[in-house]
Structure formats: C-alpha cells, structure tokens
Amino acid sequence: MEPLDPSTIAVSLGRGAHRAGDPLNVPVVLSSTFRAGGAIGYAREGNPVWEAFEEVIGALEGGVAVVFPSGLAAVRAILELVPVGGHVVAAHGSYSGTRRLLQDLEARGRLTTRLVDITDTSTAVGAADGAALLWAESPTNPMMGVADLAGLRAAKPELYVVDNTFATPLLQRPLVDAGADLVVHSATKLIGGHSDVVLGVVVARDESLASEIRQVRTEHGAVAGPLEVFLALRGVRTLPVRVERASATAAALAGRFGSHAGVDEVLYPGFGTMLSVLVHGGAAAAERFCSGVRLAVPATSLGGVETLVERRAQYHWDAVAGVPDNLVRISVGLEHVDDVWRDFEQALAQIT
Ligand SMILES: *Cc1c(COP(=O)(O)O)cnc(C)c1O
C-alpha cells in the first residue's frame, strides 16, 4: 500500500487488533495491575491506550513515541539523557518552563547551559558543535522566528532535540526532514487541541533511543493517566483538519493586522496557527487590547479550539528574554475568521 497521508494516519492508526466485535476505539483501561503473564504487568509500564496514542504520534512524526503525563515531564526525561556535567545549547526562544528547568539544573551542578538565537544558524552551530545536547524550538516562542532545523544538524551534538509543539508533525517533521534524534511535544496544546488535558510525548528516531526514554519514564514514575491519553488520542483524530483550518485563519489575520494602524508589527512565521502582534502604544495598549477582546479569551496556553490572546512580557521568564512589552501572542482557534477579526478590530478601536 502507498504510504498513508497524515490525515489518514491520524484517523486510522491506534485502533487495536481489528478483531470482529472489538470496540472501534481502544477503551480506557482503569487498572493499576494486570493478570500475570501478559505484556503489561503494572500500570507504570504501560496501558493499551498509551500504545494506541504512541502508534499514531510515532507514525505522524516518523519515529517511536513515548507518552508522558505532561510536556514538561517529557522535556525533563530527555534532559536525563545528558551526562552529568554535560553541555546543553538551547534556543533562547524556547518554552519558558524548559529555560527555567535548564537554569535550575545548572544551578545544581547537573549540567551547563548556553542560550543562543536558534534562528542564527551559524552561531548556533558554532555554539553546539560537540555539545551533549542541542535544544531547538521553531517557530520560537513568542517571537515566531523560524530556525533552519536541517542546517542546525551540522553542529553534530550528541543529541539533537526539537520541541515541535507549535508546528505539529503536520507542518514540520524534524526526525525525517532535519535529522533530529528526538522530538518533544506538549500534547496539552495542538495535539490534545481542546484545552481539557495535560499531556506530553517524546518521539525518538529509533527504538533504542525510545527504550532509553521509556526507562527514564518508568524510573521517574512519569505515568500518564489513561483518561488523559484517551482524550489526547481523540484530539489527534482531528489534528490535521484543525491545523489546516486554524492555519488558514492565522494567515488571514496576519495580513489584516499588517495593514491596521493599531499594530506596529506582525510576527508570523509564514505557517502554523500562532502569531504575535506588537500593539501600537506600548505595554498599556497591549494590556487594553487583551482586556478588550470579547470573543477571543485572554489566557495562557495555546493550540485549543478557542482563540487565546496573551501579553507575554508580563511574565518574568519572557521579560528577561527580551520579549517586547507590547507583544501579544495569539493562538488561533477554529472560530470563523471574520468573527475573530471583528473582535480584534473592536478591541484595537478601544485603544486608539
Ligand atoms: C506548554 C509547552 C511545554 C510544556 O508542556 P506542558 O504540557 O504544559 O507541561 C513545552 N514546550 C512548549 C513549546 C509548550 O508550549
């Protein structure tokens, strides 16, 4: 059979054994222990719905997936593979929780860290050559810079990791297209897609790296709840359709913001469901924009069906990273583009 399109993979994989009379969806199995002699003995080691979810995500990314109870738990498991005293080079536009974790691990003498502009390929490659780990994230958060993920491979670190949460495997496949060793997702975001579940996943380029990650998961006791994984799997079924729709809306909004006098600059990577705007009039104007929206929701997080807005520099970890005071990050949802735009227009009109 021809290789399946990602939209087909999302719908048809992870459905169990296909025996007559079996449920179409792998059921939520609420059991901490399993009868002796089978593949799974205790729920720290596995669960049927983990396997289903991992099958789909692994196929979408082109690797072997390992589910975690949160994105940050997945990030932490990867960092466990860095040897003691190892050097980590990471994007300064990485998720704030990742940057904080790296700083804390450095303070405790576990590893050393250098943050670089991941969109400046030659500088990043120079810094990461021979490092234990290169941590890329693209598009960057919240500046929406785009890294040359394949170009970064030239650094030859021991491990090359890409946080693919913003792009999703529909728009960017770092294992297949950029030679990455590991991909990580906060499945809380686009993969789950409905703002109702916290979950993470690591995808390894091969089974041997996946089994190292799986071992860390078991040792850390980073056990995802079966109900959460079920919900995220249900989310994945519609991921390609949601990404397609929200991406089209994001592109349209980027154009409309670009010709609006209330916005100084639009930061849009050219693809995906995320964009940021620099609101004319500084921090206070950006705050008023966020409190002036009626349809969009002022809230942190991203990737759900509902459009969210957030002024990022209010957070210490983004302020120290040099995020402009007047930047509002927008996670585009599935509302109609004209309704969302009218909402943004009226919120901007309240400022000017
Ligand atoms: C949210 C997020 C994380 C952390 O994931 P949680 O599921 O919140 O633990 C990691 N990376 C990126 C890019 C994120 O947006």
Side-chain angles (χ1 to χ4, degrees), residues 57 61 66 68 70-78 98 135-137 160-166 168-169 174-175 180-187 191 200-204:
I57 299 295
E61 283 287 6
V66 183
F68 279 84
S70 72
L72 208 49
V75 170
R76 183 66 187 87
I78 291 174
T98 304
W135 191 280
E137 190 173 316
Y160 175 25
V161 183
V162 178
D163 185 329
N164 206 23
T165 300
F166 275 31
T168 82
L175 299 176
D181 300 301
L182 294 163
V183 157
V184 62
H185 284 277
S186 168
I191 288 177
V201 62
V202 175
V203 195

Side-chain angles (χ1 to χ4, degrees), residues 274-288:
M274 300 292 297
L275 72 156
S276 294
V277 292
L278 305 188
V279 178
H280 183 70
E287 281 296 343
R288 262 185 289 150

Side-chain angles (χ1 to χ4, degrees), residues 316-341:
H316 166 75
W317 285 93
D318 276 8
V320 296
V323 171
D325 245 7
N326 61 336
L327 181 146
V328 173
R329 191 183 73 181
I330 302 172
S331 169
V332 177
L334 303 184
E335 308 89 342
H336 194 279
V337 59
D338 292 337
D339 290 329
V340 182
W341 177 245

Side-chain angles (χ1 to χ4, degrees), residues 10-11 13-14 25-26 28 49-50 52-54 56-57 60 67-71 185-201 224-240 242 303:
V11 170
L13 267 63
N25 294 310
V26 171
V28 180
V49 78
W50 288 12
F53 178 75
E54 290 170 349
V56 181
I57 299 295
L60 289 174
V67 67
F68 279 84
S70 72
H185 284 277
S186 168
T188 310
K189 312 296 168 54
L190 279 139
I191 288 177
H194 295 75
S195 310
D196 55 6
V197 68
V198 173
L199 203 75
V201 62
L227 185 57
E228 281 76 5
V229 182
F230 180 90
L231 287 171
L233 178 57
R234 188 166 70 165
V236 175
R237 303 299 185 202
T238 56
L239 178 66
R242 288 185 287 106

